[in-house]
PDB file of all heavy atoms in Angstrom:
ATOM      1  N   HIS A   1      91.047  71.397 105.958  1.00 86.00           N
ATOM      2  CA  HIS A   1      91.657  71.960 104.830  1.00 86.00           C
ATOM      3  C   HIS A   1      90.477  72.803 103.986  1.00 86.00           C
ATOM      4  O   HIS A   1      90.851  73.985 103.667  1.00 86.00           O
ATOM      5  CB  HIS A   1      92.137  71.043 103.854  1.00 86.00           C
ATOM      6  CG  HIS A   1      93.359  70.194 104.356  1.00 86.00           C
ATOM      7  ND1 HIS A   1      94.307  70.846 105.078  1.00 86.00           N
ATOM      8  CD2 HIS A   1      93.566  68.984 104.497  1.00 86.00           C
ATOM      9  CE1 HIS A   1      95.193  70.009 105.378  1.00 86.00           C
ATOM     10  NE2 HIS A   1      94.954  68.838 105.117  1.00 86.00           N
ATOM     11  N   GLU A   2      89.291  72.294 103.902  1.00 87.00           N
ATOM     12  CA  GLU A   2      88.297  73.025 103.068  1.00 87.00           C
ATOM     13  C   GLU A   2      87.912  74.359 103.657  1.00 87.00           C
ATOM     14  O   GLU A   2      87.794  75.400 103.136  1.00 87.00           O
ATOM     15  CB  GLU A   2      87.049  72.220 102.844  1.00 87.00           C
ATOM     16  CG  GLU A   2      87.346  71.069 101.840  1.00 87.00           C
ATOM     17  CD  GLU A   2      86.119  70.125 101.555  1.00 87.00           C
ATOM     18  OE1 GLU A   2      85.007  70.599 101.990  1.00 87.00           O
ATOM     19  OE2 GLU A   2      86.323  68.986 101.089  1.00 87.00           O
ATOM     20  N   GLN A   3      87.783  74.261 105.027  1.00 89.00           N
ATOM     21  CA  GLN A   3      87.320  75.561 105.873  1.00 89.00           C
ATOM     22  C   GLN A   3      88.475  76.524 105.801  1.00 89.00           C
ATOM     23  O   GLN A   3      88.261  77.734 105.556  1.00 89.00           O
ATOM     24  CB  GLN A   3      86.982  75.160 107.172  1.00 89.00           C
ATOM     25  CG  GLN A   3      86.288  76.342 107.904  1.00 89.00           C
ATOM     26  CD  GLN A   3      85.822  76.006 109.345  1.00 89.00           C
ATOM     27  OE1 GLN A   3      85.998  74.979 109.810  1.00 89.00           O
ATOM     28  NE2 GLN A   3      85.174  76.993 109.938  1.00 89.00           N
ATOM     29  N   ALA A   4      89.725  76.076 105.815  1.00 87.00           N
ATOM     30  CA  ALA A   4      90.869  76.849 105.911  1.00 87.00           C
ATOM     31  C   ALA A   4      90.939  77.576 104.531  1.00 87.00           C
ATOM     32  O   ALA A   4      91.191  78.783 104.370  1.00 87.00           O
ATOM     33  CB  ALA A   4      92.174  76.209 106.173  1.00 87.00           C
ATOM     34  N   ASP A   5      90.695  76.814 103.315  1.00 88.00           N
ATOM     35  CA  ASP A   5      90.699  77.372 102.028  1.00 88.00           C
ATOM     36  C   ASP A   5      89.761  78.568 101.959  1.00 88.00           C
ATOM     37  O   ASP A   5      90.038  79.621 101.466  1.00 88.00           O
ATOM     38  CB  ASP A   5      90.450  76.416 101.028  1.00 88.00           C
ATOM     39  CG  ASP A   5      91.616  75.517 100.731  1.00 88.00           C
ATOM     40  OD1 ASP A   5      92.806  75.908 100.984  1.00 88.00           O
ATOM     41  OD2 ASP A   5      91.324  74.357 100.191  1.00 88.00           O
ATOM     42  N   ASP A   6      88.469  78.342 102.517  1.00 89.00           N
ATOM     43  CA  ASP A   6      87.466  79.283 102.469  1.00 89.00           C
ATOM     44  C   ASP A   6      87.697  80.463 103.204  1.00 89.00           C
ATOM     45  O   ASP A   6      87.563  81.568 102.744  1.00 89.00           O
ATOM     46  CB  ASP A   6      86.109  78.685 103.010  1.00 89.00           C
ATOM     47  CG  ASP A   6      84.926  79.552 102.748  1.00 89.00           C
ATOM     48  OD1 ASP A   6      84.652  79.875 101.644  1.00 89.00           O
ATOM     49  OD2 ASP A   6      84.201  79.622 103.786  1.00 89.00           O
ATOM     50  N   ILE A   7      88.335  80.482 104.395  1.00 90.00           N
ATOM     51  CA  ILE A   7      88.824  81.505 105.247  1.00 90.00           C
ATOM     52  C   ILE A   7      89.634  82.397 104.491  1.00 90.00           C
ATOM     53  O   ILE A   7      89.619  83.617 104.438  1.00 90.00           O
ATOM     54  CB  ILE A   7      89.243  81.057 106.623  1.00 90.00           C
ATOM     55  CG1 ILE A   7      88.144  80.509 107.386  1.00 90.00           C
ATOM     56  CG2 ILE A   7      89.905  82.213 107.333  1.00 90.00           C
ATOM     57  CD1 ILE A   7      88.497  79.757 108.670  1.00 90.00           C
ATOM     58  N   VAL A   8      90.745  81.785 104.107  1.00 89.00           N
ATOM     59  CA  VAL A   8      91.911  82.471 103.408  1.00 89.00           C
ATOM     60  C   VAL A   8      91.325  83.098 102.000  1.00 89.00           C
ATOM     61  O   VAL A   8      91.735  84.308 101.848  1.00 89.00           O
ATOM     62  CB  VAL A   8      93.121  81.520 103.145  1.00 89.00           C
ATOM     63  CG1 VAL A   8      94.190  82.256 102.246  1.00 89.00           C
ATOM     64  CG2 VAL A   8      93.682  81.271 104.551  1.00 89.00           C
ATOM     65  N   ALA A   9      90.648  82.417 101.436  1.00 89.00           N
ATOM     66  CA  ALA A   9      90.035  83.011 100.043  1.00 89.00           C
ATOM     67  C   ALA A   9      89.263  84.263 100.434  1.00 89.00           C
ATOM     68  O   ALA A   9      89.325  85.313  99.573  1.00 89.00           O
ATOM     69  CB  ALA A   9      89.266  81.938  99.343  1.00 89.00           C
ATOM     70  N   LYS A  10      88.361  84.226 101.437  1.00 91.00           N
ATOM     71  CA  LYS A  10      87.568  85.380 101.798  1.00 91.00           C
ATOM     72  C   LYS A  10      88.516  86.536 102.286  1.00 91.00           C
ATOM     73  O   LYS A  10      88.231  87.681 101.859  1.00 91.00           O
ATOM     74  CB  LYS A  10      86.568  84.942 102.896  1.00 91.00           C
ATOM     75  CG  LYS A  10      85.527  84.139 102.365  1.00 91.00           C
ATOM     76  CD  LYS A  10      84.490  83.753 103.355  1.00 91.00           C
ATOM     77  CE  LYS A  10      83.357  82.865 102.806  1.00 91.00           C
ATOM     78  NZ  LYS A  10      82.387  82.311 103.849  1.00 91.00           N
ATOM     79  N   LEU A  11      89.606  86.301 103.000  1.00 91.00           N
ATOM     80  CA  LEU A  11      90.416  87.335 103.344  1.00 91.00           C
ATOM     81  C   LEU A  11      91.115  87.946 102.182  1.00 91.00           C
ATOM     82  O   LEU A  11      91.253  89.167 102.038  1.00 91.00           O
ATOM     83  CB  LEU A  11      91.541  86.836 104.284  1.00 91.00           C
ATOM     84  CG  LEU A  11      91.240  86.583 105.674  1.00 91.00           C
ATOM     85  CD1 LEU A  11      92.335  85.710 106.438  1.00 91.00           C
ATOM     86  CD2 LEU A  11      90.923  87.824 106.357  1.00 91.00           C
ATOM     87  N   GLU A  12      91.667  87.251 101.199  1.00 90.00           N
ATOM     88  CA  GLU A  12      92.218  87.689  99.890  1.00 90.00           C
ATOM     89  C   GLU A  12      91.268  88.374  99.117  1.00 90.00           C
ATOM     90  O   GLU A  12      91.637  89.505  98.616  1.00 90.00           O
ATOM     91  CB  GLU A  12      92.985  86.463  99.299  1.00 90.00           C
ATOM     92  CG  GLU A  12      94.124  85.977 100.042  1.00 90.00           C
ATOM     93  CD  GLU A  12      94.670  84.796  99.387  1.00 90.00           C
ATOM     94  OE1 GLU A  12      94.022  84.197  98.432  1.00 90.00           O
ATOM     95  OE2 GLU A  12      95.807  84.365  99.873  1.00 90.00           O
ATOM     96  N   ALA A  13      90.006  87.896  98.993  1.00 92.00           N
ATOM     97  CA  ALA A  13      89.005  88.736  98.266  1.00 92.00           C
ATOM     98  C   ALA A  13      88.682  90.004  98.986  1.00 92.00           C
ATOM     99  O   ALA A  13      88.479  91.027  98.180  1.00 92.00           O
ATOM    100  CB  ALA A  13      87.751  87.858  98.129  1.00 92.00           C
ATOM    101  N   GLY A  14      88.565  89.944 100.271  1.00 93.00           N
ATOM    102  CA  GLY A  14      88.428  91.268 101.043  1.00 93.00           C
ATOM    103  C   GLY A  14      89.526  92.216 100.765  1.00 93.00           C
ATOM    104  O   GLY A  14      89.360  93.445 100.573  1.00 93.00           O
ATOM    105  N   ALA A  15      90.856  91.856 100.596  1.00 93.00           N
ATOM    106  CA  ALA A  15      91.998  92.754 100.164  1.00 93.00           C
ATOM    107  C   ALA A  15      91.708  93.197  98.878  1.00 93.00           C
ATOM    108  O   ALA A  15      91.989  94.437  98.782  1.00 93.00           O
ATOM    109  CB  ALA A  15      93.258  92.013 100.347  1.00 93.00           C
ATOM    110  N   VAL A  16      91.362  92.550  97.973  1.00 93.00           N
ATOM    111  CA  VAL A  16      91.064  93.005  96.524  1.00 93.00           C
ATOM    112  C   VAL A  16      89.848  93.931  96.563  1.00 93.00           C
ATOM    113  O   VAL A  16      89.924  95.085  95.934  1.00 93.00           O
ATOM    114  CB  VAL A  16      90.844  91.971  95.563  1.00 93.00           C
ATOM    115  CG1 VAL A  16      90.564  92.351  94.204  1.00 93.00           C
ATOM    116  CG2 VAL A  16      92.096  90.923  95.475  1.00 93.00           C
ATOM    117  N   ALA A  17      88.906  93.638  97.378  1.00 94.00           N
ATOM    118  CA  ALA A  17      87.686  94.474  97.425  1.00 94.00           C
ATOM    119  C   ALA A  17      88.073  95.929  98.112  1.00 94.00           C
ATOM    120  O   ALA A  17      87.687  96.952  97.791  1.00 94.00           O
ATOM    121  CB  ALA A  17      86.650  93.914  98.296  1.00 94.00           C
ATOM    122  N   GLY A  18      89.133  95.838  99.013  1.00 94.00           N
ATOM    123  CA  GLY A  18      89.588  97.062  99.539  1.00 94.00           C
ATOM    124  C   GLY A  18      90.281  97.942  98.585  1.00 94.00           C
ATOM    125  O   GLY A  18      90.172  99.141  98.509  1.00 94.00           O
ATOM    126  N   ALA A  19      91.043  97.317  97.742  1.00 94.00           N
ATOM    127  CA  ALA A  19      91.669  98.011  96.514  1.00 94.00           C
ATOM    128  C   ALA A  19      90.555  98.531  95.560  1.00 94.00           C
ATOM    129  O   ALA A  19      90.843  99.770  95.116  1.00 94.00           O
ATOM    130  CB  ALA A  19      92.602  96.989  95.785  1.00 94.00           C
ATOM    131  N   HIS A  20      89.534  97.792  95.394  1.00 94.00           N
ATOM    132  CA  HIS A  20      88.435  98.305  94.536  1.00 94.00           C
ATOM    133  C   HIS A  20      87.847  99.582  95.202  1.00 94.00           C
ATOM    134  O   HIS A  20      87.652 100.553  94.406  1.00 94.00           O
ATOM    135  CB  HIS A  20      87.297  97.193  94.470  1.00 94.00           C
ATOM    136  CG  HIS A  20      86.121  97.532  93.751  1.00 94.00           C
ATOM    137  ND1 HIS A  20      85.149  98.301  94.535  1.00 94.00           N
ATOM    138  CD2 HIS A  20      85.648  97.539  92.537  1.00 94.00           C
ATOM    139  CE1 HIS A  20      83.992  98.495  93.653  1.00 94.00           C
ATOM    140  NE2 HIS A  20      84.460  98.104  92.464  1.00 94.00           N
ATOM    141  N   THR A  21      87.687  99.616  96.410  1.00 94.00           N
ATOM    142  CA  THR A  21      87.059 100.716  97.126  1.00 94.00           C
ATOM    143  C   THR A  21      88.017 101.983  96.921  1.00 94.00           C
ATOM    144  O   THR A  21      87.530 103.154  96.629  1.00 94.00           O
ATOM    145  CB  THR A  21      86.758 100.430  98.468  1.00 94.00           C
ATOM    146  OG1 THR A  21      85.908  99.419  98.703  1.00 94.00           O
ATOM    147  CG2 THR A  21      86.238 101.595  99.292  1.00 94.00           C
ATOM    148  N   TRP A  22      89.280 101.672  97.099  1.00 93.00           N
ATOM    149  CA  TRP A  22      90.178 102.757  97.097  1.00 93.00           C
ATOM    150  C   TRP A  22      90.317 103.381  95.720  1.00 93.00           C
ATOM    151  O   TRP A  22      90.267 104.546  95.442  1.00 93.00           O
ATOM    152  CB  TRP A  22      91.594 102.220  97.429  1.00 93.00           C
ATOM    153  CG  TRP A  22      92.715 103.395  97.494  1.00 93.00           C
ATOM    154  CD1 TRP A  22      92.935 104.047  98.641  1.00 93.00           C
ATOM    155  CD2 TRP A  22      93.611 103.765  96.563  1.00 93.00           C
ATOM    156  NE1 TRP A  22      93.969 104.949  98.368  1.00 93.00           N
ATOM    157  CE2 TRP A  22      94.300 104.826  97.129  1.00 93.00           C
ATOM    158  CE3 TRP A  22      93.727 103.412  95.260  1.00 93.00           C
ATOM    159  CZ2 TRP A  22      95.320 105.412  96.368  1.00 93.00           C
ATOM    160  CZ3 TRP A  22      94.788 104.171  94.477  1.00 93.00           C
ATOM    161  CH2 TRP A  22      95.563 105.199  95.094  1.00 93.00           C
ATOM    162  N   ILE A  23      90.242 102.602  94.707  1.00 93.00           N
ATOM    163  CA  ILE A  23      90.310 103.012  93.257  1.00 93.00           C
ATOM    164  C   ILE A  23      88.975 103.730  92.914  1.00 93.00           C
ATOM    165  O   ILE A  23      88.897 104.861  92.327  1.00 93.00           O
ATOM    166  CB  ILE A  23      90.444 101.853  92.285  1.00 93.00           C
ATOM    167  CG1 ILE A  23      91.764 101.319  92.275  1.00 93.00           C
ATOM    168  CG2 ILE A  23      90.090 102.137  90.745  1.00 93.00           C
ATOM    169  CD1 ILE A  23      92.975 102.141  91.875  1.00 93.00           C
ATOM    170  N   SER A  24      87.749 103.164  93.445  1.00 91.00           N
ATOM    171  CA  SER A  24      86.504 103.755  93.191  1.00 91.00           C
ATOM    172  C   SER A  24      86.380 105.242  93.682  1.00 91.00           C
ATOM    173  O   SER A  24      85.698 105.849  93.099  1.00 91.00           O
ATOM    174  CB  SER A  24      85.310 102.882  93.558  1.00 91.00           C
ATOM    175  OG  SER A  24      85.334 101.575  92.949  1.00 91.00           O
ATOM    176  N   GLU A  25      87.020 105.393  94.871  1.00 92.00           N
ATOM    177  CA  GLU A  25      86.920 106.654  95.505  1.00 92.00           C
ATOM    178  C   GLU A  25      88.014 107.643  95.185  1.00 92.00           C
ATOM    179  O   GLU A  25      88.098 108.685  95.696  1.00 92.00           O
ATOM    180  CB  GLU A  25      86.865 106.396  97.094  1.00 92.00           C
ATOM    181  CG  GLU A  25      85.617 105.660  97.532  1.00 92.00           C
ATOM    182  CD  GLU A  25      85.687 105.212  98.942  1.00 92.00           C
ATOM    183  OE1 GLU A  25      86.739 105.562  99.693  1.00 92.00           O
ATOM    184  OE2 GLU A  25      84.640 104.757  99.453  1.00 92.00           O
ATOM    185  N   SER A  26      88.836 107.115  94.329  1.00 92.00           N
ATOM    186  CA  SER A  26      90.008 108.102  93.849  1.00 92.00           C
ATOM    187  C   SER A  26      89.434 109.272  93.065  1.00 92.00           C
ATOM    188  O   SER A  26      88.429 109.143  92.352  1.00 92.00           O
ATOM    189  CB  SER A  26      91.022 107.336  93.121  1.00 92.00           C
ATOM    190  OG  SER A  26      90.604 106.959  91.860  1.00 92.00           O
ATOM    191  N   SER A  27      90.162 110.349  93.058  1.00 93.00           N
ATOM    192  CA  SER A  27      89.738 111.483  92.128  1.00 93.00           C
ATOM    193  C   SER A  27      90.985 111.976  91.445  1.00 93.00           C
ATOM    194  O   SER A  27      92.080 111.812  91.824  1.00 93.00           O
ATOM    195  CB  SER A  27      89.232 112.688  93.230  1.00 93.00           C
ATOM    196  OG  SER A  27      88.282 112.350  93.893  1.00 93.00           O
ATOM    197  N   PRO A  28      90.616 112.686  90.291  1.00 93.00           N
ATOM    198  CA  PRO A  28      91.713 113.318  89.531  1.00 93.00           C
ATOM    199  C   PRO A  28      92.355 114.424  90.237  1.00 93.00           C
ATOM    200  O   PRO A  28      91.776 114.801  91.243  1.00 93.00           O
ATOM    201  CB  PRO A  28      91.030 113.724  88.176  1.00 93.00           C
ATOM    202  CG  PRO A  28      89.526 113.853  88.653  1.00 93.00           C
ATOM    203  CD  PRO A  28      89.323 112.919  89.695  1.00 93.00           C
ATOM    204  N   PRO A  29      93.489 114.720  89.784  1.00 92.00           N
ATOM    205  CA  PRO A  29      94.144 115.893  90.505  1.00 92.00           C
ATOM    206  C   PRO A  29      93.226 117.141  90.524  1.00 92.00           C
ATOM    207  O   PRO A  29      92.455 117.390  89.551  1.00 92.00           O
ATOM    208  CB  PRO A  29      95.460 116.242  89.674  1.00 92.00           C
ATOM    209  CG  PRO A  29      95.740 114.910  88.958  1.00 92.00           C
ATOM    210  CD  PRO A  29      94.463 114.246  88.739  1.00 92.00           C
ATOM    211  N   HIS A  30      93.364 118.014  91.631  1.00 91.00           N
ATOM    212  CA  HIS A  30      92.527 119.034  91.770  1.00 91.00           C
ATOM    213  C   HIS A  30      92.670 120.108  90.548  1.00 91.00           C
ATOM    214  O   HIS A  30      93.796 120.331  90.087  1.00 91.00           O
ATOM    215  CB  HIS A  30      92.850 119.881  93.017  1.00 91.00           C
ATOM    216  CG  HIS A  30      91.948 120.993  93.401  1.00 91.00           C
ATOM    217  ND1 HIS A  30      90.633 120.809  93.574  1.00 91.00           N
ATOM    218  CD2 HIS A  30      92.195 122.311  93.505  1.00 91.00           C
ATOM    219  CE1 HIS A  30      90.098 121.974  93.980  1.00 91.00           C
ATOM    220  NE2 HIS A  30      91.016 122.888  93.883  1.00 91.00           N
ATOM    221  N   LYS A  31      91.657 120.637  90.165  1.00 92.00           N
ATOM    222  CA  LYS A  31      91.536 121.675  89.005  1.00 92.00           C
ATOM    223  C   LYS A  31      92.038 121.047  87.599  1.00 92.00           C
ATOM    224  O   LYS A  31      92.663 121.767  86.938  1.00 92.00           O
ATOM    225  CB  LYS A  31      92.377 122.781  89.371  1.00 92.00           C
ATOM    226  CG  LYS A  31      91.745 123.719  90.391  1.00 92.00           C
ATOM    227  CD  LYS A  31      92.583 124.930  90.780  1.00 92.00           C
ATOM    228  CE  LYS A  31      91.937 125.762  91.850  1.00 92.00           C
ATOM    229  NZ  LYS A  31      92.739 127.012  92.184  1.00 92.00           N
ATOM    230  N   SER A  32      91.709 119.753  87.494  1.00 94.00           N
ATOM    231  CA  SER A  32      92.068 119.044  86.168  1.00 94.00           C
ATOM    232  C   SER A  32      91.010 119.550  85.058  1.00 94.00           C
ATOM    233  O   SER A  32      89.938 119.946  85.395  1.00 94.00           O
ATOM    234  CB  SER A  32      92.048 117.591  86.223  1.00 94.00           C
ATOM    235  OG  SER A  32      92.973 117.130  87.238  1.00 94.00           O
ATOM    236  N   GLU A  33      91.455 119.483  83.774  1.00 96.00           N
ATOM    237  CA  GLU A  33      90.526 119.896  82.736  1.00 96.00           C
ATOM    238  C   GLU A  33      89.447 118.842  82.681  1.00 96.00           C
ATOM    239  O   GLU A  33      89.616 117.612  83.023  1.00 96.00           O
ATOM    240  CB  GLU A  33      91.366 119.871  81.431  1.00 96.00           C
ATOM    241  CG  GLU A  33      92.362 120.897  81.337  1.00 96.00           C
ATOM    242  CD  GLU A  33      93.003 121.058  79.980  1.00 96.00           C
ATOM    243  OE1 GLU A  33      92.437 120.398  78.988  1.00 96.00           O
ATOM    244  OE2 GLU A  33      94.119 121.433  79.883  1.00 96.00           O
ATOM    245  N   PRO A  34      88.219 119.148  82.160  1.00 94.00           N
ATOM    246  CA  PRO A  34      87.076 118.282  82.253  1.00 94.00           C
ATOM    247  C   PRO A  34      87.400 116.889  81.382  1.00 94.00           C
ATOM    248  O   PRO A  34      87.044 115.879  81.752  1.00 94.00           O
ATOM    249  CB  PRO A  34      85.987 119.032  81.546  1.00 94.00           C
ATOM    250  CG  PRO A  34      86.323 120.478  81.735  1.00 94.00           C
ATOM    251  CD  PRO A  34      87.846 120.566  81.902  1.00 94.00           C
ATOM    252  N   ARG A  35      88.062 117.119  80.269  1.00 95.00           N
ATOM    253  CA  ARG A  35      88.505 115.922  79.511  1.00 95.00           C
ATOM    254  C   ARG A  35      89.352 114.969  80.204  1.00 95.00           C
ATOM    255  O   ARG A  35      89.112 113.712  80.113  1.00 95.00           O
ATOM    256  CB  ARG A  35      88.946 116.263  78.188  1.00 95.00           C
ATOM    257  CG  ARG A  35      88.108 116.902  77.167  1.00 95.00           C
ATOM    258  CD  ARG A  35      88.652 117.246  75.850  1.00 95.00           C
ATOM    259  NE  ARG A  35      89.492 116.203  75.382  1.00 95.00           N
ATOM    260  CZ  ARG A  35      90.081 116.162  74.252  1.00 95.00           C
ATOM    261  NH1 ARG A  35      90.026 117.221  73.371  1.00 95.00           N
ATOM    262  NH2 ARG A  35      90.800 115.123  73.745  1.00 95.00           N
ATOM    263  N   PHE A  36      90.363 115.520  80.914  1.00 95.00           N
ATOM    264  CA  PHE A  36      91.193 114.699  81.738  1.00 95.00           C
ATOM    265  C   PHE A  36      90.405 113.938  82.813  1.00 95.00           C
ATOM    266  O   PHE A  36      90.574 112.845  83.069  1.00 95.00           O
ATOM    267  CB  PHE A  36      92.315 115.506  82.369  1.00 95.00           C
ATOM    268  CG  PHE A  36      93.157 114.712  83.187  1.00 95.00           C
ATOM    269  CD1 PHE A  36      94.327 114.065  82.589  1.00 95.00           C
ATOM    270  CD2 PHE A  36      93.072 114.723  84.553  1.00 95.00           C
ATOM    271  CE1 PHE A  36      95.336 113.327  83.384  1.00 95.00           C
ATOM    272  CE2 PHE A  36      93.915 113.850  85.351  1.00 95.00           C
ATOM    273  CZ  PHE A  36      94.931 113.300  84.760  1.00 95.00           C
ATOM    274  N   GLU A  37      89.524 114.783  83.419  1.00 94.00           N
ATOM    275  CA  GLU A  37      88.610 114.216  84.544  1.00 94.00           C
ATOM    276  C   GLU A  37      87.768 112.970  83.971  1.00 94.00           C
ATOM    277  O   GLU A  37      87.595 111.919  84.619  1.00 94.00           O
ATOM    278  CB  GLU A  37      87.789 115.216  85.222  1.00 94.00           C
ATOM    279  CG  GLU A  37      88.484 116.155  86.059  1.00 94.00           C
ATOM    280  CD  GLU A  37      87.631 117.163  86.762  1.00 94.00           C
ATOM    281  OE1 GLU A  37      86.380 117.062  86.701  1.00 94.00           O
ATOM    282  OE2 GLU A  37      88.152 118.006  87.461  1.00 94.00           O
ATOM    283  N   ASP A  38      87.169 113.290  82.794  1.00 95.00           N
ATOM    284  CA  ASP A  38      86.379 112.183  82.219  1.00 95.00           C
ATOM    285  C   ASP A  38      87.135 110.897  81.934  1.00 95.00           C
ATOM    286  O   ASP A  38      86.696 109.748  82.182  1.00 95.00           O
ATOM    287  CB  ASP A  38      85.850 112.691  80.807  1.00 95.00           C
ATOM    288  CG  ASP A  38      84.709 113.739  81.100  1.00 95.00           C
ATOM    289  OD1 ASP A  38      84.162 113.910  82.183  1.00 95.00           O
ATOM    290  OD2 ASP A  38      84.424 114.472  79.983  1.00 95.00           O
ATOM    291  N   GLY A  39      88.430 111.037  81.445  1.00 96.00           N
ATOM    292  CA  GLY A  39      89.255 109.956  81.175  1.00 96.00           C
ATOM    293  C   GLY A  39      89.752 109.299  82.425  1.00 96.00           C
ATOM    294  O   GLY A  39      89.777 108.048  82.581  1.00 96.00           O
ATOM    295  N   TRP A  40      89.955 110.137  83.576  1.00 94.00           N
ATOM    296  CA  TRP A  40      90.298 109.583  84.872  1.00 94.00           C
ATOM    297  C   TRP A  40      89.265 108.590  85.335  1.00 94.00           C
ATOM    298  O   TRP A  40      89.398 107.558  85.749  1.00 94.00           O
ATOM    299  CB  TRP A  40      90.536 110.648  85.753  1.00 94.00           C
ATOM    300  CG  TRP A  40      90.924 110.286  87.206  1.00 94.00           C
ATOM    301  CD1 TRP A  40      89.907 109.832  88.206  1.00 94.00           C
ATOM    302  CD2 TRP A  40      92.251 110.116  87.780  1.00 94.00           C
ATOM    303  NE1 TRP A  40      90.549 109.520  89.359  1.00 94.00           N
ATOM    304  CE2 TRP A  40      91.965 109.753  89.104  1.00 94.00           C
ATOM    305  CE3 TRP A  40      93.424 110.450  87.333  1.00 94.00           C
ATOM    306  CZ2 TRP A  40      93.085 109.390  89.909  1.00 94.00           C
ATOM    307  CZ3 TRP A  40      94.495 110.168  88.209  1.00 94.00           C
ATOM    308  CH2 TRP A  40      94.314 109.855  89.503  1.00 94.00           C
ATOM    309  N   PHE A  41      87.990 109.133  85.363  1.00 95.00           N
ATOM    310  CA  PHE A  41      86.907 108.393  85.914  1.00 95.00           C
ATOM    311  C   PHE A  41      86.622 107.256  85.112  1.00 95.00           C
ATOM    312  O   PHE A  41      86.185 106.195  85.617  1.00 95.00           O
ATOM    313  CB  PHE A  41      85.584 109.247  86.036  1.00 95.00           C
ATOM    314  CG  PHE A  41      85.797 110.291  87.272  1.00 95.00           C
ATOM    315  CD1 PHE A  41      85.673 111.643  86.992  1.00 95.00           C
ATOM    316  CD2 PHE A  41      85.933 109.824  88.551  1.00 95.00           C
ATOM    317  CE1 PHE A  41      85.857 112.595  87.977  1.00 95.00           C
ATOM    318  CE2 PHE A  41      86.044 110.633  89.528  1.00 95.00           C
ATOM    319  CZ  PHE A  41      86.111 112.101  89.264  1.00 95.00           C
ATOM    320  N   ALA A  42      86.682 107.277  83.800  1.00 96.00           N
ATOM    321  CA  ALA A  42      86.510 106.081  82.914  1.00 96.00           C
ATOM    322  C   ALA A  42      87.449 105.013  83.273  1.00 96.00           C
ATOM    323  O   ALA A  42      87.143 103.804  83.417  1.00 96.00           O
ATOM    324  CB  ALA A  42      86.486 106.436  81.402  1.00 96.00           C
ATOM    325  N   GLY A  43      88.825 105.446  83.351  1.00 96.00           N
ATOM    326  CA  GLY A  43      89.873 104.415  83.715  1.00 96.00           C
ATOM    327  C   GLY A  43      89.554 103.839  85.047  1.00 96.00           C
ATOM    328  O   GLY A  43      89.814 102.626  85.269  1.00 96.00           O
ATOM    329  N   ALA A  44      89.244 104.688  86.061  1.00 95.00           N
ATOM    330  CA  ALA A  44      88.950 104.207  87.402  1.00 95.00           C
ATOM    331  C   ALA A  44      87.694 103.140  87.415  1.00 95.00           C
ATOM    332  O   ALA A  44      87.874 102.259  88.023  1.00 95.00           O
ATOM    333  CB  ALA A  44      88.688 105.325  88.407  1.00 95.00           C
TER     334      ALA A  44
END
């Protein structure tokens, strides 16, 4: 049980880390205004 919990927790943490990477690498729409881009990156 303990090892199974550890394995599944690591898989789930990896899925969340994948979402983190996706969000971190996202970009605002092309040719956005600088203020919009600043807000986009702050939110991301």
Side-chain angles (χ1 to χ4, degrees):
H1 296 315
E2 289 181 17
Q3 189 177 4
D5 283 337
D6 189 49
I7 290 168
V8 171
K10 287 178 180 176
L11 284 170
E12 291 175 347
V16 176
H20 172 275
T21 300
W22 189 85
I23 292 292
S24 296
E25 294 175 354
S26 69
S27 300
H30 186 64
K31 296 185 179 182
S32 297
E33 294 183 22
R35 285 182 49 177
F36 181 84
E37 287 182 2
D38 291 343
W40 177 281
F41 288 118

